[in-house]
Amino acid sequence: MTISGTRARRPVITLLVVCQSTIGLIFGGIGLFLPLIRADLGLTFTEAGTLAAASNLTYALMQVPSGYLADRFTPRRLFVIGLAGMNLLAALFAVLDSYALLLIDQALAGFFRALVFTPGMLLMTELFPPGRRATAMGLYVVGGFSSNILLSAVGPLLVGPLGWRLLFLLFAVSGLVALALYRFLAGPAPQRPRTGPVRFAELPGLVRQRIVRLTGVIQFTRLAVAQGFTFWLPTYLVVDRGQSLATAGLVAALASAISAPVNYLGGYLSDRINRPLLVIGGSLAVLTVGMTLLTLVPGMLGVLGVVALISVAIQVYFGPLFALPLQVLGDRNAGLISGFGNFCANLGSFAFVYALGAVKDATGSFRAGFLSLAVLCVVALLATWRTRPLINRPHTAPR
Protein backbone atom coordinates (compact mmCIF):
# COMPACT_ATOMS: atom_id res chain seq x y z
CA MET A 1 0.00 0.00 0.00
CA THR A 2 1.38 3.42 -0.93
CA ILE A 3 1.53 6.39 1.42
CA SER A 4 -1.08 8.21 -0.61
CA GLY A 5 -3.25 5.10 -0.40
CA THR A 6 -2.93 5.12 3.36
CA ARG A 7 -3.94 8.79 3.47
CA ALA A 8 -7.00 8.05 1.38
CA ARG A 9 -8.01 5.41 3.91
CA ARG A 10 -7.53 7.55 7.02
CA PRO A 11 -11.23 8.38 7.46
CA VAL A 12 -12.08 4.66 7.31
CA ILE A 13 -9.28 3.81 9.74
CA THR A 14 -10.52 6.53 12.10
CA LEU A 15 -14.09 5.23 11.99
CA LEU A 16 -12.94 1.66 12.66
CA VAL A 17 -11.21 2.95 15.79
CA VAL A 18 -14.32 4.95 16.78
CA CYS A 19 -16.58 1.93 16.27
CA GLN A 20 -14.26 -0.14 18.48
CA SER A 21 -14.36 2.65 21.07
CA THR A 22 -18.13 2.32 21.47
CA ILE A 23 -17.59 -1.25 22.70
CA GLY A 24 -15.16 0.16 25.25
CA LEU A 25 -17.81 2.63 26.44
CA ILE A 26 -20.35 -0.14 27.02
CA PHE A 27 -18.08 -2.66 28.74
CA GLY A 28 -16.11 0.03 30.59
CA GLY A 29 -19.36 1.62 31.76
CA ILE A 30 -20.39 -1.57 33.53
CA GLY A 31 -17.09 -1.62 35.42
CA LEU A 32 -17.09 2.10 36.27
CA PHE A 33 -20.71 2.28 37.40
CA LEU A 34 -20.70 -1.14 39.06
CA PRO A 35 -21.06 0.30 42.60
CA LEU A 36 -24.22 2.15 41.47
CA ILE A 37 -25.54 -0.84 39.50
CA ARG A 38 -24.97 -3.10 42.52
CA ALA A 39 -26.79 -0.70 44.83
CA ASP A 40 -29.66 -0.17 42.39
CA LEU A 41 -30.23 -3.88 41.76
CA GLY A 42 -29.11 -5.26 45.15
CA LEU A 43 -26.36 -7.49 43.71
CA THR A 44 -23.57 -9.21 45.63
CA PHE A 45 -19.97 -8.87 44.44
CA THR A 46 -20.18 -12.38 42.99
CA GLU A 47 -23.39 -11.59 41.08
CA ALA A 48 -21.87 -8.35 39.81
CA GLY A 49 -18.86 -10.29 38.57
CA THR A 50 -21.09 -12.72 36.70
CA LEU A 51 -22.49 -9.88 34.58
CA ALA A 52 -19.06 -9.47 33.03
CA ALA A 53 -18.28 -13.18 33.23
CA ALA A 54 -21.40 -14.13 31.24
CA SER A 55 -20.44 -11.73 28.46
CA ASN A 56 -16.85 -12.94 28.48
CA LEU A 57 -17.85 -16.62 28.35
CA THR A 58 -20.03 -16.34 25.24
CA TYR A 59 -17.49 -13.92 23.74
CA ALA A 60 -14.74 -16.49 24.30
CA LEU A 61 -16.77 -19.40 22.89
CA MET A 62 -17.52 -17.41 19.74
CA GLN A 63 -13.93 -16.39 18.98
CA VAL A 64 -13.00 -19.39 16.82
CA PRO A 65 -16.34 -19.47 14.90
CA SER A 66 -16.02 -15.71 14.35
CA GLY A 67 -12.45 -16.09 13.05
CA TYR A 68 -13.49 -18.94 10.77
CA LEU A 69 -16.42 -16.94 9.34
CA ALA A 70 -14.09 -13.96 8.79
CA ASP A 71 -11.72 -16.23 6.82
CA ARG A 72 -14.54 -17.84 4.89
CA PHE A 73 -16.70 -14.78 4.18
CA THR A 74 -16.25 -11.02 4.25
CA PRO A 75 -15.24 -9.71 7.71
CA ARG A 76 -17.13 -6.46 7.10
CA ARG A 77 -20.53 -8.17 7.16
CA LEU A 78 -19.75 -9.80 10.52
CA PHE A 79 -18.41 -6.51 11.88
CA VAL A 80 -21.60 -4.61 10.99
CA ILE A 81 -23.92 -7.30 12.38
CA GLY A 82 -21.89 -7.60 15.59
CA LEU A 83 -21.67 -3.88 16.29
CA ALA A 84 -25.38 -3.33 15.63
CA GLY A 85 -26.34 -6.20 17.95
CA MET A 86 -23.95 -5.05 20.68
CA ASN A 87 -25.33 -1.52 20.77
CA LEU A 88 -28.97 -2.64 20.71
CA LEU A 89 -28.27 -4.91 23.69
CA ALA A 90 -26.60 -1.98 25.48
CA ALA A 91 -29.82 -0.02 25.08
CA LEU A 92 -31.76 -2.98 26.48
CA PHE A 93 -29.34 -3.22 29.44
CA ALA A 94 -30.42 0.31 30.38
CA VAL A 95 -34.08 -0.58 30.86
CA LEU A 96 -33.90 -4.02 32.52
CA ASP A 97 -34.39 -4.44 36.28
CA SER A 98 -34.05 -8.21 36.73
CA TYR A 99 -30.62 -9.74 37.46
CA ALA A 100 -31.56 -12.82 35.42
CA LEU A 101 -32.53 -10.74 32.40
CA LEU A 102 -29.39 -8.63 32.69
CA LEU A 103 -27.37 -11.85 32.77
CA ILE A 104 -29.04 -13.03 29.54
CA ASP A 105 -28.52 -9.60 27.98
CA GLN A 106 -24.79 -9.74 28.74
CA ALA A 107 -24.46 -13.32 27.48
CA LEU A 108 -25.97 -12.23 24.14
CA ALA A 109 -23.76 -9.12 24.14
CA GLY A 110 -20.72 -11.40 24.28
CA PHE A 111 -21.97 -13.26 21.19
CA PHE A 112 -22.27 -10.07 19.13
CA ARG A 113 -19.05 -8.56 20.53
CA ALA A 114 -17.19 -11.58 19.15
CA LEU A 115 -18.42 -10.71 15.66
CA VAL A 116 -16.77 -7.29 16.04
CA PHE A 117 -13.29 -8.10 17.36
CA THR A 118 -11.49 -10.45 14.95
CA PRO A 119 -13.32 -9.26 11.79
CA GLY A 120 -12.60 -5.65 12.77
CA MET A 121 -8.93 -6.43 13.36
CA LEU A 122 -8.71 -8.09 9.93
CA LEU A 123 -10.39 -5.05 8.37
CA MET A 124 -7.76 -2.84 10.01
CA THR A 125 -4.78 -4.95 8.88
CA GLU A 126 -6.08 -4.83 5.30
CA LEU A 127 -5.60 -1.04 5.43
CA PHE A 128 -1.87 -1.32 6.29
CA PRO A 129 1.13 -2.87 4.50
CA PRO A 130 2.18 -6.40 5.65
CA GLY A 131 5.25 -5.13 7.52
CA ARG A 132 3.07 -3.00 9.79
CA ARG A 133 0.71 -5.72 11.00
CA ALA A 134 1.50 -5.26 14.72
CA THR A 135 1.06 -1.49 14.33
CA ALA A 136 -2.37 -1.97 12.76
CA MET A 137 -3.46 -4.40 15.46
CA GLY A 138 -2.27 -2.07 18.21
CA LEU A 139 -4.05 0.89 16.63
CA TYR A 140 -7.31 -1.08 16.36
CA VAL A 141 -7.73 -1.34 20.13
CA VAL A 142 -6.65 2.24 20.87
CA GLY A 143 -10.29 3.26 20.55
CA GLY A 144 -11.28 1.16 23.54
CA PHE A 145 -8.70 2.85 25.74
CA SER A 146 -9.50 6.32 24.38
CA SER A 147 -13.19 5.88 25.16
CA ASN A 148 -12.28 4.71 28.66
CA ILE A 149 -10.38 7.96 29.20
CA LEU A 150 -13.46 9.99 28.29
CA LEU A 151 -15.79 7.69 30.21
CA SER A 152 -13.71 7.63 33.39
CA ALA A 153 -13.14 11.39 33.38
CA VAL A 154 -16.65 12.54 32.45
CA GLY A 155 -18.85 9.59 33.45
CA PRO A 156 -18.81 10.23 37.23
CA LEU A 157 -19.81 13.87 36.58
CA LEU A 158 -22.71 12.90 34.30
CA VAL A 159 -24.02 9.89 36.20
CA GLY A 160 -25.38 12.09 39.01
CA PRO A 161 -27.79 14.21 36.94
CA LEU A 162 -28.43 11.62 34.20
CA GLY A 163 -28.18 8.24 35.92
CA TRP A 164 -26.35 5.18 34.63
CA ARG A 165 -29.34 3.94 32.62
CA LEU A 166 -29.59 7.06 30.44
CA LEU A 167 -25.83 7.00 29.91
CA PHE A 168 -26.04 3.46 28.53
CA LEU A 169 -28.78 4.59 26.13
CA LEU A 170 -26.47 7.39 24.95
CA PHE A 171 -23.62 4.89 24.48
CA ALA A 172 -25.87 2.73 22.30
CA VAL A 173 -27.01 5.65 20.13
CA SER A 174 -23.44 6.88 19.60
CA GLY A 175 -22.38 3.39 18.58
CA LEU A 176 -25.12 3.06 15.98
CA VAL A 177 -24.30 6.50 14.56
CA ALA A 178 -20.59 5.59 14.26
CA LEU A 179 -21.53 2.33 12.54
CA ALA A 180 -23.73 4.12 10.01
CA LEU A 181 -20.91 6.57 9.18
CA TYR A 182 -18.42 3.73 8.75
CA ARG A 183 -20.78 1.81 6.47
CA PHE A 184 -21.31 4.94 4.36
CA LEU A 185 -17.62 5.89 3.98
CA ALA A 186 -16.14 2.41 3.63
CA GLY A 187 -17.96 1.72 0.37
CA PRO A 188 -18.24 -1.80 -1.09
CA ALA A 189 -16.13 -4.52 0.51
CA PRO A 190 -12.99 -5.38 -1.53
CA GLN A 191 -12.53 -8.86 -2.90
CA ARG A 192 -10.05 -10.84 -0.81
CA PRO A 193 -7.74 -13.21 -2.71
CA ARG A 194 -7.95 -16.86 -1.70
CA THR A 195 -5.36 -19.62 -2.05
CA GLY A 196 -8.08 -22.17 -1.37
CA PRO A 197 -11.22 -22.54 0.74
CA VAL A 198 -10.59 -22.32 4.47
CA ARG A 199 -12.02 -25.30 6.34
CA PHE A 200 -12.97 -25.42 10.02
CA ALA A 201 -11.39 -28.88 10.12
CA GLU A 202 -7.98 -27.18 9.84
CA LEU A 203 -8.28 -25.89 13.42
CA PRO A 204 -6.93 -29.04 15.19
CA GLY A 205 -3.84 -28.97 13.01
CA LEU A 206 -3.30 -25.30 13.79
CA VAL A 207 -3.69 -25.89 17.53
CA ARG A 208 -1.05 -28.62 17.35
CA GLN A 209 1.45 -26.00 16.23
CA ARG A 210 3.60 -25.15 19.23
CA ILE A 211 3.62 -21.43 18.44
CA VAL A 212 -0.20 -21.38 18.62
CA ARG A 213 -0.29 -23.21 21.97
CA LEU A 214 2.38 -21.05 23.59
CA THR A 215 0.87 -17.77 22.41
CA GLY A 216 -2.48 -19.12 23.65
CA VAL A 217 -1.01 -19.30 27.17
CA ILE A 218 0.21 -15.72 26.88
CA GLN A 219 -3.16 -14.61 25.49
CA PHE A 220 -4.94 -16.23 28.47
CA THR A 221 -2.75 -14.15 30.78
CA ARG A 222 -3.04 -10.96 28.73
CA LEU A 223 -6.79 -10.52 29.08
CA ALA A 224 -7.04 -12.09 32.54
CA VAL A 225 -4.75 -9.31 33.76
CA ALA A 226 -6.18 -6.54 31.56
CA GLN A 227 -9.86 -7.18 32.30
CA GLY A 228 -9.39 -8.29 35.90
CA PHE A 229 -7.47 -5.10 36.66
CA THR A 230 -9.60 -2.71 34.58
CA PHE A 231 -13.00 -4.08 35.57
CA TRP A 232 -12.39 -4.20 39.33
CA LEU A 233 -10.09 -1.15 39.73
CA PRO A 234 -12.89 1.40 40.42
CA THR A 235 -14.58 -0.95 42.91
CA TYR A 236 -11.22 -1.72 44.56
CA LEU A 237 -10.50 1.99 45.00
CA VAL A 238 -13.98 2.72 46.40
CA VAL A 239 -14.35 -0.34 48.68
CA ASP A 240 -10.80 -1.25 49.76
CA ARG A 241 -9.16 2.18 49.57
CA GLY A 242 -12.13 4.31 50.67
CA GLN A 243 -12.12 6.67 47.67
CA SER A 244 -15.12 8.37 46.08
CA LEU A 245 -16.50 7.22 42.74
CA ALA A 246 -15.27 10.48 41.17
CA THR A 247 -11.71 9.81 42.39
CA ALA A 248 -11.91 6.21 41.21
CA GLY A 249 -13.06 7.47 37.81
CA LEU A 250 -10.14 9.87 37.54
CA VAL A 251 -7.67 7.10 38.41
CA ALA A 252 -9.27 4.84 35.80
CA ALA A 253 -9.04 7.71 33.29
CA LEU A 254 -5.34 8.10 34.11
CA ALA A 255 -4.84 4.38 33.49
CA SER A 256 -6.59 4.53 30.13
CA ALA A 257 -4.76 7.73 29.13
CA ILE A 258 -1.45 5.96 29.67
CA SER A 259 -2.53 2.70 28.01
CA ALA A 260 -3.96 4.20 24.81
CA PRO A 261 -0.76 5.60 23.23
CA VAL A 262 1.60 2.88 24.47
CA ASN A 263 -0.69 0.25 22.95
CA TYR A 264 -0.07 1.72 19.51
CA LEU A 265 3.60 2.40 20.25
CA GLY A 266 4.13 -1.22 21.32
CA GLY A 267 3.03 -2.47 17.91
CA TYR A 268 5.05 0.23 16.15
CA LEU A 269 8.19 -0.60 18.16
CA SER A 270 7.78 -4.32 17.51
CA ASP A 271 7.51 -3.70 13.76
CA ARG A 272 10.48 -1.31 13.75
CA ILE A 273 12.95 -3.51 15.63
CA ASN A 274 11.38 -6.84 14.57
CA ARG A 275 11.70 -8.22 18.10
CA PRO A 276 8.17 -9.02 19.28
CA LEU A 277 9.33 -11.30 22.11
CA LEU A 278 11.29 -8.43 23.68
CA VAL A 279 8.13 -6.30 23.80
CA ILE A 280 6.01 -9.21 25.10
CA GLY A 281 8.50 -10.39 27.74
CA GLY A 282 9.29 -6.88 28.97
CA SER A 283 5.59 -6.10 29.37
CA LEU A 284 4.94 -9.28 31.36
CA ALA A 285 7.89 -8.58 33.67
CA VAL A 286 6.53 -5.10 34.44
CA LEU A 287 3.04 -6.51 35.06
CA THR A 288 4.41 -9.11 37.47
CA VAL A 289 5.95 -6.35 39.58
CA GLY A 290 2.93 -4.06 39.32
CA MET A 291 0.32 -6.64 40.31
CA THR A 292 2.46 -7.69 43.26
CA LEU A 293 2.74 -4.11 44.54
CA LEU A 294 -0.85 -2.94 43.90
CA THR A 295 -2.37 -3.97 47.24
CA LEU A 296 0.87 -3.65 49.23
CA VAL A 297 1.81 0.01 48.72
CA PRO A 298 0.50 2.42 51.40
CA GLY A 299 -1.47 5.55 50.53
CA MET A 300 -3.10 6.74 47.33
CA LEU A 301 0.10 8.28 45.99
CA GLY A 302 1.71 4.84 45.96
CA VAL A 303 -1.41 3.34 44.37
CA LEU A 304 -1.31 5.97 41.61
CA GLY A 305 2.31 5.11 40.87
CA VAL A 306 1.57 1.39 40.64
CA VAL A 307 -1.53 1.97 38.50
CA ALA A 308 0.59 4.06 36.11
CA LEU A 309 3.23 1.30 35.98
CA ILE A 310 0.63 -1.37 35.21
CA SER A 311 -1.05 0.84 32.61
CA VAL A 312 2.19 1.25 30.67
CA ALA A 313 2.44 -2.50 30.14
CA ILE A 314 -1.07 -3.88 30.38
CA GLN A 315 -1.83 -3.98 26.63
CA VAL A 316 1.37 -2.69 25.01
CA TYR A 317 2.12 -6.20 23.73
CA PHE A 318 -1.32 -6.70 22.14
CA GLY A 319 -0.19 -6.12 18.54
CA PRO A 320 3.06 -8.14 18.73
CA LEU A 321 1.27 -11.04 20.41
CA PHE A 322 -1.44 -11.33 17.73
CA ALA A 323 1.09 -10.82 14.93
CA LEU A 324 3.57 -13.43 16.24
CA PRO A 325 1.81 -16.66 15.17
CA LEU A 326 0.94 -15.10 11.80
CA GLN A 327 4.60 -14.24 11.32
CA VAL A 328 5.47 -17.90 11.82
CA LEU A 329 2.52 -19.62 10.11
CA GLY A 330 1.42 -17.10 7.46
CA ASP A 331 -1.84 -15.29 6.75
CA ARG A 332 -3.99 -17.96 5.13
CA ASN A 333 -5.72 -18.90 8.40
CA ALA A 334 -5.36 -15.47 10.00
CA GLY A 335 -8.96 -15.45 11.23
CA LEU A 336 -8.82 -18.93 12.77
CA ILE A 337 -5.43 -18.31 14.40
CA SER A 338 -6.44 -14.89 15.76
CA GLY A 339 -9.81 -16.26 16.84
CA PHE A 340 -8.18 -19.10 18.78
CA GLY A 341 -5.76 -16.67 20.43
CA ASN A 342 -8.59 -14.41 21.52
CA PHE A 343 -10.59 -17.43 22.66
CA CYS A 344 -7.74 -18.26 25.07
CA ALA A 345 -7.57 -14.60 26.11
CA ASN A 346 -11.25 -14.45 26.93
CA LEU A 347 -11.16 -17.68 28.89
CA GLY A 348 -8.65 -15.87 31.07
CA SER A 349 -10.89 -12.82 31.27
CA PHE A 350 -13.94 -14.94 32.12
CA ALA A 351 -12.10 -16.86 34.83
CA PHE A 352 -10.41 -13.93 36.56
CA VAL A 353 -13.12 -11.26 36.32
CA TYR A 354 -15.36 -13.76 38.11
CA ALA A 355 -12.62 -15.00 40.46
CA LEU A 356 -11.64 -11.55 41.71
CA GLY A 357 -15.23 -10.85 42.74
CA ALA A 358 -15.56 -14.28 44.39
CA VAL A 359 -12.25 -13.82 46.22
CA LYS A 360 -13.42 -10.42 47.47
CA ASP A 361 -16.62 -11.98 48.84
CA ALA A 362 -14.68 -14.84 50.47
CA THR A 363 -11.76 -12.90 51.96
CA GLY A 364 -13.02 -9.32 52.22
CA SER A 365 -10.06 -8.09 50.14
CA PHE A 366 -8.85 -7.98 46.54
CA ARG A 367 -5.24 -8.77 47.60
CA ALA A 368 -5.26 -12.51 46.89
CA GLY A 369 -6.92 -11.91 43.51
CA PHE A 370 -4.35 -9.36 42.33
CA LEU A 371 -1.45 -11.52 43.57
CA SER A 372 -2.84 -14.45 41.56
CA LEU A 373 -2.59 -12.25 38.47
CA ALA A 374 1.10 -11.67 39.25
CA VAL A 375 1.66 -15.44 39.39
CA LEU A 376 -0.12 -15.81 36.06
CA CYS A 377 2.28 -13.27 34.52
CA VAL A 378 5.23 -15.43 35.61
CA VAL A 379 3.66 -18.42 33.83
CA ALA A 380 3.27 -16.31 30.66
CA LEU A 381 6.91 -15.20 30.93
CA LEU A 382 7.97 -18.86 30.87
CA ALA A 383 5.79 -19.44 27.78
CA THR A 384 7.41 -16.41 26.11
CA TRP A 385 10.89 -17.80 26.80
CA ARG A 386 9.91 -21.17 25.29
CA THR A 387 8.67 -19.40 22.15
CA ARG A 388 12.14 -18.04 21.27
CA PRO A 389 13.41 -21.08 19.28
CA LEU A 390 10.29 -21.07 17.09
CA ILE A 391 10.66 -17.59 15.58
CA ASN A 392 13.25 -18.50 12.95
CA ARG A 393 12.15 -22.09 12.46
CA PRO A 394 10.12 -22.71 9.29
CA HIS A 395 6.55 -23.83 9.94
CA THR A 396 3.88 -24.94 7.56
CA ALA A 397 0.27 -24.28 8.41
CA PRO A 398 -2.00 -27.32 7.88
CA ARG A 399 -3.91 -27.39 4.64
Side-chain angles (χ1 to χ4, degrees):
M1 182 187 300
T2 65
I3 294 177
S4 60
T6 300
R7 287 174 179 166
R9 290 168 172 80
R10 283 179 179 171
V12 179
I13 292 171
T14 301
L15 279 170
L16 272 176
V17 174
V18 171
C19 286
Q20 168 71 0
S21 75
T22 64
I23 302 299
L25 282 176
I26 295 166
F27 193 74
I30 295 175
L32 178 62
F33 302 134
L34 193 60
L36 300 178
I37 296 171
R38 281 187 59 249
D40 192 13
L41 301 176
L43 305 179
T44 67
F45 286 102
T46 301
E47 287 173 335
T50 59
L51 289 180
S55 174
N56 288 338
L57 178 60
T58 53
Y59 181 60
L61 293 175
M62 273 298 296
Q63 287 305 307
V64 174
S66 174
Y68 166 73
L69 292 172
D71 279 335
R72 189 83 185 193
F73 305 105
T74 168
R76 185 178 298 177
R77 182 179 302 172
L78 298 180
F79 182 80
V80 170
I81 292 171
L83 202 61
M86 183 69 188
N87 283 285
L88 291 174
L89 286 166
L92 186 60
F93 185 88
V95 299
L96 295 175
D97 288 312
S98 164
Y99 166 68
L101 292 177
L102 287 170
L103 200 61
I104 294 171
D105 177 275
Q106 286 303 288
L108 291 173
F111 173 88
F112 284 100
R113 187 158 57 104
L115 300 183
V116 174
F117 182 80
T118 298
M121 192 163 58
L122 294 178
L123 288 173
M124 182 66 81
T125 57
E126 288 173 355
L127 298 170
F128 284 76
R132 298 186 63 196
R133 182 186 288 124
T135 304
M137 291 177 173
L139 179 61
Y140 176 62
V141 296
V142 163
F145 287 95
S146 301
S147 62
N148 278 336
I149 299 170
L150 178 65
L151 174 68
S152 300
V154 180
L157 302 177
L158 296 178
V159 73
L162 300 180
W164 65 268
R165 295 181 184 275
L166 180 55
L167 285 178
F168 271 93
L169 287 172
L170 294 175
F171 297 159
V173 171
S174 66
L176 293 172
V177 170
L179 177 60
L181 288 173
Y182 166 75
R183 189 66 187 87
F184 174 74
L185 290 180
Q191 293 295 319
R192 304 175 68 204
R194 296 292 186 192
T195 57
V198 174
R199 294 175 290 115
F200 198 80
E202 296 176 33
L203 179 62
L206 289 169
V207 175
R208 283 195 293 270
Q209 298 284 346
R210 193 177 179 195
I211 185 69
V212 174
R213 296 197 305 271
L214 288 173
T215 53
V217 172
I218 305 169
Q219 290 278 20
F220 182 95
T221 299
R222 176 185 68 82
L223 212 56
V225 174
Q227 295 287 14
F229 171 77
T230 304
F231 184 83
W232 286 110
L233 178 62
T235 302
Y236 165 69
L237 294 174
V238 171
V239 176
D240 279 18
R241 292 284 181 166
Q243 302 300 308
S244 67
L245 182 61
T247 300
L250 289 175
V251 175
L254 168 68
S256 296
I258 295 170
S259 297
V262 297
N263 197 323
Y264 170 76
L265 292 174
Y268 177 79
L269 177 64
S270 176
D271 285 336
R272 288 285 293 182
I273 66 176
N274 196 27
R275 297 189 66 184
L277 292 183
L278 179 62
V279 177
I280 295 169
S283 302
L284 289 167
V286 172
L287 289 172
T288 302
V289 174
M291 288 297 169
T292 302
L293 293 177
L294 182 59
T295 61
L296 302 177
V297 294
M300 274 303 295
L301 188 61
V303 171
L304 286 175
V306 173
V307 167
L309 179 69
I310 292 171
S311 301
V312 167
I314 198 165
Q315 286 275 55
V316 70
Y317 59 114
F318 175 93
L321 182 55
F322 271 99
L324 186 59
L326 303 184
Q327 176 183 329
V328 175
L329 298 177
D331 292 337
R332 180 177 181 272
N333 298 103
L336 270 177
I337 293 169
S338 299
F340 177 78
N342 212 40
F343 166 72
C344 296
N346 283 277
L347 284 182
S349 175
F350 167 74
F352 278 84
V353 167
Y354 174 80
L356 264 66
V359 167
K360 169 64 177 175
D361 276 336
T363 67
S365 170
F366 282 103
R367 175 170 296 179
F370 286 131
L371 289 178
S372 69
L373 292 178
V375 173
L376 199 58
C377 289
V378 174
V379 174
L381 268 172
L382 293 175
T384 304
W385 180 76
R386 295 191 65 185
T387 305
R388 292 177 58 197
L390 306 177
I391 300 303
N392 297 319
R393 183 184 303 174
H395 283 65
T396 302
R399 294 183 180 274

